[in-house]
Amino acid sequence: MRDSPVEQAAGGVVWREGPLGIEVLLVHRPGYDDWTFPKGKLESGECLVACARREVREETGARPLIGRYLGEISYAKREGLRKVVHYWAMRADEVDFVSSSEVDRIRWVDEASLADHVSYPTERALSERLTDGWRDPADRILLVRHADAGKRDRGPRPDSARPLSERGRAEAVGLIEGLEGFPIDAVITSYAARCCQTVTPLATARKRVPQMAIELWEESRPAEVRALLRNRPEGTSLLCSHRPIVGTILRTLMGEKQAPILQKGSTWVLDFADGELVAANYLPPRR
């Protein structure tokens, strides 16, 4: 028997601190006359977390901070088609909502009564399984391969001094917008010039001081890289390194048989729960 086709979608459980406690944002879709979490289908070439961020912005006008991955719900959409929706917690203290034909109203509801306000059993189930820590900061790695630095030098200077190319500088600046919405607690980079230059624009924009780690140099041993992963700071760490080390990290976390995409200037968004990888999303470089 063939597996049923699956339609992938993503959205956000958007929250704020209201005058009487935590409130969660719901949207009303006039075409369905329902109240639901903001969500939508993936666009071509889009990853799940990018879809979730885009759909929340389009439907609510919010520019949220992306928190913890909350898992998925699934349901039969029509005969032979199953829909799977992935959710992230998102904080948005302000929204700039504009009514549309798809979403004509929004409503902030008390967290404790959230399950009573959503229209579908699957979303009620999601509401009821939100634990006390669902709004806590994400446990996340933003794994960046350094931006373009041209070809390896054949001159006398060490390869670690090779700077970014013009294209690479554009990719580095692109990280500011590409990673908008992801809180960053620490920026950790290889000491190579091309890695330091990749993270500098974003670190400056976020008022973070990059830390250099020998474990992220391209010739570091896998055991050294794994020790860095175990001892990374709490919260969200941005790690910038070279192709071999990025590959080592992804194989360590996703399995030895994985063949991940590793474009220069790209980012893997790796979400953890209780120390285990629960979501991996790829963001291509922006130029």
Side-chain angles (χ1 to χ4, degrees):
M1 181 181 296
R2 294 183 179 179
D3 293 337
S4 299
V6 175
E7 180 180 273
Q8 296 282 355
V13 180
V14 181
W15 66 277
R16 70 179 182 185
E17 292 185 6
L20 300 178
I22 300 302
E23 299 174 333
V24 176
L25 185 63
L26 299 178
V27 300
H28 180 264
R29 302 184 299 175
Y32 299 91
D33 192 23
D34 59 7
W35 286 97
T36 181
F37 299 119
K39 63 182 184 297
K41 296 184 294 184
L42 270 68
E43 294 183 348
S44 177
E46 191 176 42
C47 72
L48 289 166
V49 71
C51 173
R53 177 174 58 179
R54 176 183 55 77
E55 287 290 342
V56 167
R57 288 179 180 177
E58 290 178 355
E59 294 192 353
T60 71
R63 303 183 72 87
L65 293 176
I66 304 170
R68 293 190 170 197
Y69 176 67
L70 301 177
E72 64 183 53
I73 62 173
S74 64
Y75 54 90
K77 188 174 180 181
R78 58 179 180 269
E79 185 176 355
L81 179 65
R82 185 167 64 93
K83 187 166 186 173
V84 178
V85 189
H86 301 258
Y87 288 97
W88 276 261
M90 298 186 182
R91 180 167 183 167
D93 293 325
E94 297 181 359
V95 299
D96 186 18
F97 175 70
V98 177
S99 178
S100 71
S101 59
E102 292 189 5
V103 174
D104 62 346
R105 287 178 285 163
I106 61 174
R107 174 191 295 172
W108 290 98
V109 302
D110 180 71
E111 178 188 12
S113 62
L114 178 58
D116 297 328
H117 291 276
V118 293
S119 298
Y120 300 108
T122 50
E123 294 194 351
R124 283 195 289 274
L126 175 63
S127 304
E128 291 167 351
R129 74 175 189 236
L130 296 177
T131 63
D132 290 339
W134 75 274
R135 292 178 281 101
D136 289 346
D139 182 10
R140 176 179 292 139
I141 291 175
L142 300 173
L143 182 60
V144 177
R145 184 185 176 193
H146 69 74
D148 184 78
K151 296 182 178 180
R152 288 183 179 273
D153 293 330
R154 298 185 181 274
R157 70 177 180 180
D159 186 63
S160 61
R162 177 159 46 104
L164 294 182
S165 64
E166 181 178 351
R167 172 178 172 177
R169 292 192 293 272
E171 290 169 344
V173 172
L175 289 173
I176 297 174
E177 182 179 353
L179 298 181
E180 181 187 10
F182 292 101
I184 298 175
D185 300 295
V187 177
I188 307 173
T189 179
S190 164
Y191 62 81
R194 55 192 180 274
C195 291
C196 294
Q197 291 174 7
T198 296
V199 303
T200 293
L202 177 61
T204 301
R206 297 294 188 93
K207 299 182 179 178
R208 294 286 182 264
V209 177
Q211 308 167 42
M212 286 182 282
I214 188 67
E215 296 90 343
L216 293 176
W217 170 241
E218 63 181 335
E219 296 178 4
S220 295
R221 294 175 298 176
E224 296 172 324
V225 177
R226 289 193 288 269
L228 175 67
L229 294 178
R230 289 193 300 270
N231 298 322
R232 64 187 174 87
E234 293 183 358
T236 295
S237 297
L238 186 149
L239 307 181
C240 182
S241 190
H242 311 262
R243 181 186 180 94
I245 303 306
V246 172
T248 294
I249 293 172
L250 292 175
R251 287 191 298 273
T252 298
L253 297 173
M254 300 168 64
E256 289 294 328
K257 296 183 180 180
Q258 293 291 331
I261 309 170
L262 295 176
Q263 289 178 281
K264 292 178 181 178
S266 64
T267 305
W268 276 89
V269 181
L270 305 169
D271 285 303
F272 299 84
D274 299 322
E276 298 294 326
L277 181 69
V278 292
N281 285 271
Y282 176 76
L283 302 175
R286 288 176 176 246
R287 301 183 180 99

